[in-house]
Amino acid sequence: MKDQIMKELIPLTQNDCFTVFSRIKSSFDFPLHTHDEFELNLILNGKGVQRVVGDHIGELEEVELVLVGSGVPHAWFTHKCTNEEIREVTIQFHKDLIDEKLLRRNQLAFIRKMFEQSVRGILFSPETTRMLIDRLLNLNQKHGFDSVLELFSILHDLSVSRNMKFLSDVTFTANRTPSYNSRRIEKAMEYLHANFEKNITLGDVARLANMTETAFSRFFKTRTGINFIDSLNDIRLGHASRLLIETTGSVSEIAYNCGFNNMANFNRIFKRKKGCTPKEFRENYYKTSGVRVFI
């Protein structure tokens, strides 16, 4: 099962609050995947589309709104849907968009609970979905602080809504959301995000943690689940993916700007992680009729 789940590296940087991707499509062909970010997905005119979240498999009605938590495998497939104009709005945001200390305040208790439950995938009722359709469709028209306030307001309305349905079995998603619980790892990750375009070595980061390279390498793998090089490459690929979408820079220029000094290595890593070459990735995004907005 794990070998069939792709880890998606979405082009959302640490400096963004969230991204909105709105488009009209005739089919779903993205494979089963996971990512660390939360995802709120609205689908209209999708009757017959198949939904996979965790160990849940279901079929859509005309409208659907689902919140998928961090690290939860999910995908939508065309299946029995024959509609040529399926409307999809996907909102992705960091799992730490709202600080943990703030989430523990009484006024955000419902949002905190919803985030915790999202590791099972939450399907909101048709009534709730219809109530929020216009706001979700228009979110990419808002800018700056207004857009962030609107997203928070939408999340609050969802968190207090009635008749939520949990999709995946609780045992399937137990302990899926990673927690570093280490200031050393947090400091290391902050450094990687701030300096990904530079020539970073394991020794550089180990010194920040006041550890030997061997000890830090072992500690990093234990706390994050992946080794240091793979983590650094994931950060670099996330930035490269965004530049491929947002800019017209050449693939080689983007690779070098994101810290890859060897084009063959960049292409190999990109294809292994994304399932296509950087050029194919850019072309696939340009083929869609929608637009992705970063806030």
Side-chain angles (χ1 to χ4, degrees):
M1 177 69 172
K2 289 183 179 180
D3 293 337
Q4 300 173 355
I5 302 175
M6 185 180 77
K7 177 70 179 289
E8 183 188 9
L9 302 175
I10 71 172
L12 180 68
T13 73
Q14 288 297 109
N15 294 326
D16 300 314
C17 284
F18 64 94
T19 179
V20 183
F21 192 19
S22 178
R23 59 182 172 178
I24 296 175
K25 59 201 297 184
S26 60
S27 63
F28 290 85
D29 54 12
F30 201 75
L32 187 65
H33 63 283
T34 71
H35 44 72
D36 292 338
E37 296 75 16
F38 284 85
E39 178 171 306
L40 184 62
N41 208 38
L42 171 71
I43 298 175
L44 306 177
N45 307 321
K47 186 175 177 61
V49 168
Q50 186 180 68
R51 173 203 320 114
V52 178
V53 178
D55 62 352
H56 160 88
I57 299 177
E59 197 170 297
L60 274 63
E61 295 298 328
E62 287 295 333
V63 298
E64 152 137 337
L65 182 60
V66 168
L67 177 64
V68 180
S70 174
V72 180
H74 60 283
W76 281 261
F77 302 104
T78 308
H79 194 45
K80 300 177 182 177
C81 184
T82 58
N83 198 315
E84 293 293 317
E85 294 188 354
I86 305 168
R87 183 68 182 269
E88 181 185 37
V89 176
T90 301
I91 302 168
Q92 295 171 325
F93 56 95
H94 296 292
K95 57 188 177 182
D96 61 354
L97 175 62
I98 303 178
D99 183 77
E100 180 65 27
K101 290 182 180 179
L102 181 59
L103 274 176
R104 296 194 176 279
R105 308 297 184 189
N106 292 335
Q107 291 78 8
L108 277 75
F110 288 104
I111 292 181
R112 181 180 73 247
K113 184 177 181 180
M114 180 178 70
F115 283 178
E116 293 171 349
Q117 294 170 330
S118 68
V119 295
R120 299 179 61 185
I122 301 175
L123 173 64
F124 297 98
S125 71
E127 295 76 19
T128 297
T129 302
R130 290 190 177 94
M131 180 183 70
L132 292 172
I133 283 176
D134 288 343
R135 293 171 66 188
L136 291 166
L137 291 176
N138 293 323
L139 183 59
N140 61 6
Q141 301 301 313
K142 292 186 175 292
H143 304 283
F145 191 56
D146 287 341
S147 66
V148 178
L149 285 179
E150 178 68 354
L151 176 61
F152 285 0
S153 178
I154 289 171
L155 291 174
H156 174 264
D157 289 348
L158 289 173
S159 72
V160 298
S161 65
R162 296 177 178 271
N163 302 318
M164 298 180 193
K165 179 181 178 182
F166 303 123
L167 298 176
S168 185
D169 187 83
V170 66
T171 58
F172 181 83
T173 54
N175 300 320
R176 183 172 292 278
T177 303
S179 176
Y180 301 141
N181 195 28
S182 167
R183 180 54 192 156
R184 284 177 172 176
I185 296 298
E186 290 174 359
K187 188 175 181 179
M189 296 304 288
E190 289 172 1
Y191 180 81
L192 295 183
H193 280 289
N195 298 279
F196 65 91
E197 77 282 4
K198 300 175 182 177
N199 182 25
I200 301 174
T201 67
L202 175 62
D204 295 333
V205 186
R207 281 190 291 274
L208 285 176
N210 291 321
M211 300 174 71
T212 65
E213 290 187 24
T214 301
F216 178 77
S217 178
R218 190 183 305 113
F219 180 68
F220 190 94
K221 176 68 178 293
T222 299
R223 290 302 181 100
T224 67
I226 60 177
N227 63 42
F228 169 78
I229 292 298
D230 284 344
S231 183
L232 177 57
N233 283 336
D234 282 355
I235 292 170
R236 286 171 169 167
L237 284 176
H239 285 272
S241 298
R242 175 165 176 178
L243 290 176
L244 286 167
I245 296 171
E246 282 198 323
T247 75
T248 58
S250 68
V251 173
S252 59
E253 180 183 3
I254 289 171
Y256 290 124
N257 286 340
C258 291
F260 292 98
N261 296 319
N262 183 294
M263 277 302 299
N265 186 47
F266 172 64
N267 285 320
R268 182 174 62 254
I269 294 173
F270 195 101
K271 187 168 186 177
R272 186 177 74 242
K273 293 282 187 178
K274 306 286 286 185
C276 60
T277 66
K279 182 180 178 181
E280 291 169 342
F281 175 84
R282 171 178 269 171
E283 290 173 348
N284 288 338
Y285 266 92
Y286 284 164
K287 286 177 183 176
T288 66
S289 59
V291 61
R292 186 181 286 269
V293 177
F294 294 88
I295 306 297

